């Protein structure tokens, strides 16, 4: 994985000096709905529905109207809840573990052809900077899920979300005349969202990986 990321970074760096058409950069707005989960973190564990919204730049790579670098800057809701369908009525079902980020994805974007209306694919890293963490209705049996609560029975355990997180984003979408675009994106978290929960007795030391599936709509100005 590290070798792949390094190779990708070197490739993008080479493109930035050799083929990127900075003067033809276009800008746009983007918004969407997020379906988020966190693996190995809370019990019970269920999805959180949130939203994202911000701005993007579309930077051409090469002379063909087909390949681009697309950096974005957006507010990005993630985290999870306790709404596991098998835990209705149980302690923690109404819990909310909301993580809200300033998010900076940098996608390599390729349209399937040079046609004005066409499908496209996206891939690239996403960097998340924590803006706020809101925890509500943490289970009585696991009060340390709330970062503002300490439990003498579990010294050192902390439900605080990491201030910086990152992952890899993948996506496919459709562009109407290279202006109005809809996309489905999947972000695979590679960092540990809750490193303090690894110390929980009876818990797991596995990485607490944040995963987000999103449906987005973007408008790119001419």
């Amino acid at each position: 994985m590290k070798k792949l990321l390094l190779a990708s970074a070197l490739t993008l760096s080479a493109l930035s000096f050799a083929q990127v058409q900075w003067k033809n950069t276009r800008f746009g707005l983007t918004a969407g709905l997020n379906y988020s989960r966190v693996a190995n973190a809370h019990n019970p564990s269920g999805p959180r529905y949130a939203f994202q919204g911000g701005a993007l730049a579309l930077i051409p790579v090469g002379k063909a109207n087909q390949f681009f670098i697309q950096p974005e800057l957006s507010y990005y809701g993630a985290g999870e809840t306790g709404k596991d369908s098998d835990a209705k009525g149980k302690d923690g079902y109404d819990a909310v573990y909301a993580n809200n980020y300033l998010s900076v994805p940098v996608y390599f974007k390729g349209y399937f052809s040079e046609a004005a209306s066409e499908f496209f694919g996206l891939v690239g890293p996403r960097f998340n900077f924590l803006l706020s963490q809101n925890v509500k209705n943490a289970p009585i049996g696991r009060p340390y899920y709330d970062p503002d609560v300490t439990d003498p029975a579990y010294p050192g355990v902390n439900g605080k979300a990491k201030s910086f997180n990152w992952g890899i984003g993948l996506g496919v979408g459709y562009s109407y005349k290279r202006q109005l675009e809809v996309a489905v994106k999947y972000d695979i978290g590679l960092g540990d969202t809750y490193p303090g929960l690894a110390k929980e007795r009876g818990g797991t030391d596995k990485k607490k990986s944040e995963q987000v599936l999103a449906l987005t709509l973007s408008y790119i100005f001419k």
Side-chain angles (χ1 to χ4, degrees):
M1 176 62 75
K2 290 183 178 179
K3 291 182 179 179
L4 176 61
L5 292 175
L6 179 59
S8 299
L10 292 173
T11 300
L12 288 176
S13 296
L15 288 172
S16 66
F17 287 103
Q19 301 184 54
V20 172
Q21 309 294 315
W22 298 102
K23 64 180 181 180
N24 295 323
T25 299
R26 297 166 61 198
F27 298 92
L29 300 175
T30 183
L33 299 175
N34 290 357
Y35 171 95
S36 176
R37 301 290 296 262
V38 184
N40 308 310
H42 305 105
N43 185 18
S45 172
R48 181 194 179 205
Y49 296 91
F51 72 93
Q52 61 173 287
L56 63 84
L58 191 63
I59 309 168
V61 176
K63 296 181 179 180
N65 190 31
Q66 193 169 357
F67 302 107
F68 299 82
I69 295 173
Q70 183 171 300
E72 300 179 8
L73 179 66
S74 63
Y75 173 89
Y76 186 82
E80 66 174 348
T81 67
K83 296 190 180 301
D84 183 336
S85 58
D86 295 327
K88 288 185 178 180
K90 295 183 180 179
D91 182 27
Y93 179 78
D94 294 320
V96 177
Y97 311 99
N99 300 330
N100 302 308
Y101 298 97
L102 177 66
S103 186
V104 185
V106 182
Y107 295 114
F108 179 75
K109 182 178 188 178
Y111 292 89
F112 292 1
S113 76
E114 295 186 61
S117 297
E118 182 58 282
F119 289 94
F120 60 85
L122 297 163
V123 63
R126 178 182 287 274
F127 307 100
N128 290 332
F129 303 87
L130 188 68
L131 294 175
S132 65
Q133 179 184 8
N134 302 311
V135 176
K136 299 179 181 178
N137 304 318
I140 296 174
R142 297 180 175 86
Y144 44 80
Y145 282 174
D146 189 327
D148 297 321
V149 175
T150 58
D151 185 349
Y154 296 92
V157 173
N158 190 340
K160 176 66 177 175
K162 203 170 183 179
S163 60
F164 171 75
N165 223 323
W166 75 291
I168 293 293
L170 307 168
V172 293
Y174 183 78
S175 177
Y176 177 70
K177 295 186 177 181
R178 302 294 178 97
Q179 279 196 286
L180 188 63
E181 300 189 341
V182 61
V184 176
K185 302 175 182 176
Y186 182 54
D187 297 320
I188 306 168
L190 299 179
D192 193 341
T193 306
Y194 301 101
L197 291 182
K199 302 175 183 177
E200 176 190 349
R201 293 180 219 168
T204 176
D205 288 334
K206 293 181 180 179
K207 185 183 295 183
K208 280 63 178 172
S209 175
E210 204 163 35
Q211 319 289 330
V212 179
L213 179 65
L215 176 65
T216 65
L217 181 67
S218 301
Y219 183 82
I220 303 170
F221 302 104
K222 290 184 178 180

